[in-house]
Amino acid sequence: MPKSGYLAIKGYISNMIRSKEWPPGHLLPTETELAVQFNCARATVNRALGELAEEQIIDRRRKAGSRVRDGRERMANLKIQFPCREVEAIGKEHRYVALKREICALPMILQSSSEMGQSDQCLRTEGVHYAGDTPFQFEQSWFRRDAFPELFEAGGKVKAPCVTLLEKNPFYHGSLSISASKANHVEARHLGIKMGDPLINKEYILTDGHDGTPVAVMQIRYKPDYSISCIF
Amino acid sequence: MPKSGYLAIKGYISNMIRSKEWPPGHLLPTETELAVQFNCARATVNRALGELAEEQIIDRRRKAGSRVRDGRERMANLKIQFPCREVEAIGKEHRYVALKREICALPMILQSSSEMGQSDQCLRTEGVHYAGDTPFQFEQSWFRRDAFPELFEAGGKVKAPCVTLLEKNPFYHGSLSISASKANHVEARHLGIKMGDPLINKEYILTDGHDGTPVAVMQIRYKPDYSISCIF
DNA sequence: AAGTGGTCTAGACCACTTA
DNA sequence: AAGTGGTCTAGACCACTTA
């Protein structure tokens, strides 16, 4: 542990909390008091406490001071990787086999309440992502035409939709939902497993950067040997 | 968007990146240049860039400067909630029904290579967490005796192990792994579902705060209507 | 009204990395 | 050797929240 600097202060406070010397709810010394104790400027204490608040270890409020949080709710960092990227990450060659590609009406989840009309069109794709020669993910997706016009231009070989998406904008926002289901015969055939086997599913809902309306849904199904990991 | 302050600088840079005016790999102006541009102190720019680096939007290296990251790997915040807490969070009453409780040898994953001997003992528990009257989670766990002596004192009514854990230390670290499996007849009976139904599983491995060795494993199985969500 | 934290400034020194 | 970011200081003013 560093002997000086804001990390020393962070370490000191973390230890007091971990050792339960300062239990949840405990009121911490003020920034000024800690600055005296550590013989440093208040800005240094402020950085230490600010990071602890960011990490949800303490709660800070003006005038009320800083308190140790009830730590029963923690956060972990989960890596978000679209299918093409996930295959690359395990060091295998990514290959996409398109199965379906059709224009359809917007599914419920992509219908924005306000604007209706000609944008009311949607591309639905279905395909399998291979890691080398092994089927890895079965993908079924919907894309609003007004948000992704370039996906509708089917020029040449059909690329995986996520590849086109990431070329357009590598910084999408949205939500991820993880669930389990039983493989139906289509999913089982394309993933090379038995019907009724358990699947892990990720459902990404991508949102527009400006108004936050949903613009795409990607449903990705994985074989039961797949798992998702993170640390906390 | 704020017109001044470090948030204005963050917003400006975020916009340049989102609009692809500054594509991945692009070299940002130096802190000094941005301080001139925004007519502020370098410390203010430093805070803005520091937060963008924290959020993995940019990469920063001394002398090399700050660059826009390849955004294809994003991070999402996943809430970590132990079973008792998860039931409370949906507003239901938490009740734990213990099914098994036995001393056994350490499973592989809890064996620390270095220290062996009398601590070589483990508590294995099995139980069901109810949300109100509905079975919600089937839990199977292992705890090292040397790390959780208080769990071995079976005084009075048996509490859920996670409750005792959180009383001892609300700030555990460890890893979470999410997978899917088929319900066997024990799991199916206790969760009130059919054998062969798909389950979502969480496996928590808790580690010691000091040396990082694993001290407990909690395997939690959920019915297929359960899902895990996060935003990114 | 008074006590907190939030943010900013102008300057400083240094660590690290590249050339 | 030179340019960048990392961190710190001493001081300032303010916003917010409680009493």
Side-chain angles (χ1 to χ4, degrees):
Chain A
M1 188 183 309
K3 287 207 172 53
S4 69
Y6 80 96
L7 287 172
I9 305 174
K10 258 186 91 169
Y12 168 77
I13 296 171
S14 296
N15 281 339
M16 296 303 270
I17 295 175
R18 281 172 152 277
S19 66
K20 301 209 72 170
E21 213 148 333
W22 290 351
H26 177 86
L27 185 63
L28 269 66
T30 66
E31 293 191 347
T32 312
E33 286 165 352
L34 284 167
V36 170
Q37 178 180 340
F38 281 88
N39 189 31
C40 68
R42 186 168 76 87
T44 305
V45 176
N46 181 267
R47 173 160 190 191
L49 294 183
E51 291 196 0
L52 288 168
E54 182 74 24
E55 294 162 21
Q56 307 183 51
I57 308 291
I58 62 173
D59 266 332
R60 315 197 70 196
R61 266 162 46 229
R62 280 163 173 154
K63 164 78 181 173
S66 302
R67 285 182 187 278
V68 179
R69 276 188 63 143
D70 183 330
R72 290 179 300 173
E73 266 189 26
R74 303 287 309 285
M75 289 291 185
N77 279 326
L78 190 65
K79 207 177 279 184
I80 301 290
Q81 287 178 324
F82 289 167
C84 48
R85 183 69 183 146
E86 201 168 14
V87 170
E88 291 165 10
I90 58 172
K92 297 280 176 64
E93 190 200 1
H94 174 254
R95 197 158 50 88
Y96 178 72
V97 176
L99 300 171
K100 276 191 189 166
R101 192 182 159 78
E102 59 189 25
I103 307 293
C104 64
L106 284 177
M108 279 289 280
I109 199 166
L110 291 185
Q111 282 171 19
S112 59
S113 48
S114 53
E115 26 158 358
M116 283 292 183
Q118 65 200 61
S119 70
D120 213 8
Q121 241 185 12
C122 184
L123 176 68
R124 181 176 169 281
T125 67
E126 209 176 280
V128 180
H129 298 268
Y130 282 77
D133 292 329
T134 316
F136 188 61
Q137 298 146 322
F138 179 77
E139 179 195 340
Q140 191 175 188
S141 299
W142 292 260
F143 303 93
R144 281 184 69 115
R145 171 163 221 158
D146 48 2
F148 305 98
E150 65 278 18
L151 278 179
F152 286 68
E153 300 153 11
K157 191 169 171 294
V158 175
K159 280 194 289 191
C162 57
V163 172
T164 312
L165 256 61
L166 288 172
E167 282 167 4
K168 183 188 177 193
N169 175 2
F171 294 97
Y172 278 104
H173 287 265
S175 67
L176 166 62
S177 180
I178 301 167
S179 62
S181 68
K182 252 178 177 165
N184 64 28
H185 79 281
V186 176
E187 294 157 353
R189 191 177 72 232
H190 289 302
L191 287 173
I193 58 176
K194 285 201 292 284
M195 197 174 144
D197 277 357
L199 298 175
I200 306 196
N201 308 318
K202 291 185 187 173
E203 181 176 273
Y204 291 101
I205 299 176
L206 302 186
T207 51
D208 181 80
H210 292 292
D211 57 12
T213 56
V215 290
V217 178
M218 296 170 55
Q219 289 179 349
I220 302 153
R221 307 191 184 279
Y222 300 81
K223 288 182 280 188
D225 58 359
Y226 177 82
S227 73
I228 299 165
S229 294
C230 57
I231 59 174
F232 61 90
Chain B
M1 188 183 309
K3 288 207 172 53
S4 70
Y6 80 98
L7 288 172
I9 304 173
K10 261 186 88 170
Y12 167 76
I13 295 171
S14 296
N15 280 339
M16 295 303 269
I17 295 176
R18 278 172 153 280
S19 66
K20 300 209 74 174
E21 213 147 333
W22 290 352
H26 178 86
L27 186 63
L28 270 66
T30 65
E31 293 191 348
T32 312
E33 286 165 353
L34 285 167
V36 170
Q37 179 179 339
F38 282 89
N39 189 30
C40 68
R42 188 169 74 89
T44 304
V45 176
N46 181 268
R47 174 160 191 190
L49 294 183
E51 290 196 0
L52 288 168
E54 183 73 25
E55 294 162 23
Q56 307 183 51
I57 309 291
I58 62 174
D59 266 332
R60 314 196 72 198
R61 268 163 44 229
R62 281 165 171 152
K63 165 75 182 176
S66 301
R67 284 180 188 280
V68 178
R69 277 189 62 145
D70 183 332
R72 290 178 300 170
E73 267 189 26
R74 304 287 310 286
M75 289 291 184
N77 278 326
L78 191 65
K79 206 177 278 184
I80 300 291
Q81 287 178 325
F82 289 168
C84 48
R85 183 69 183 148
E86 201 169 13
V87 170
E88 291 164 10
I90 58 173
K92 297 281 176 64
E93 190 201 1
H94 174 253
R95 196 159 50 88
Y96 178 72
V97 176
L99 300 172
K100 276 191 190 168
R101 192 182 159 78
E102 59 189 23
I103 307 294
C104 64
L106 284 177
M108 279 289 280
I109 200 166
L110 291 185
Q111 282 171 21
S112 60
S113 48
S114 53
E115 27 158 359
M116 284 290 182
Q118 65 200 61
S119 70
D120 212 9
Q121 242 185 11
C122 185
L123 175 68
R124 182 176 167 282
T125 66
E126 210 175 281
V128 180
H129 298 267
Y130 282 76
D133 293 327
T134 316
F136 189 60
Q137 299 146 321
F138 179 77
E139 179 194 340
Q140 191 175 188
S141 300
W142 292 262
F143 303 93
R144 281 184 69 115
R145 171 163 222 158
D146 48 3
F148 305 99
E150 64 279 17
L151 278 179
F152 287 68
E153 300 154 12
K157 191 167 171 296
V158 175
K159 281 193 290 192
C162 57
V163 172
T164 312
L165 255 62
L166 289 172
E167 283 167 3
K168 184 189 176 192
N169 176 0
F171 293 97
Y172 278 103
H173 286 264
S175 67
L176 166 62
S177 180
I178 300 167
S179 62
S181 69
K182 250 178 178 165
N184 63 29
H185 78 279
V186 176
E187 294 156 353
R189 191 178 71 231
H190 289 301
L191 288 174
I193 57 175
K194 285 202 292 286
M195 197 172 144
D197 276 357
L199 297 176
I200 305 196
N201 309 318
K202 291 185 186 173
E203 181 176 273
Y204 291 101
I205 299 176
L206 303 186
T207 50
D208 181 80
H210 292 293
D211 57 13
T213 55
V215 290
V217 178
M218 296 169 57
Q219 289 179 350
I220 302 152
R221 306 191 184 280
Y222 301 80
K223 289 182 278 189
D225 58 359
Y226 176 82
S227 73
I228 300 165
S229 293
C230 57
I231 59 174
F232 60 92

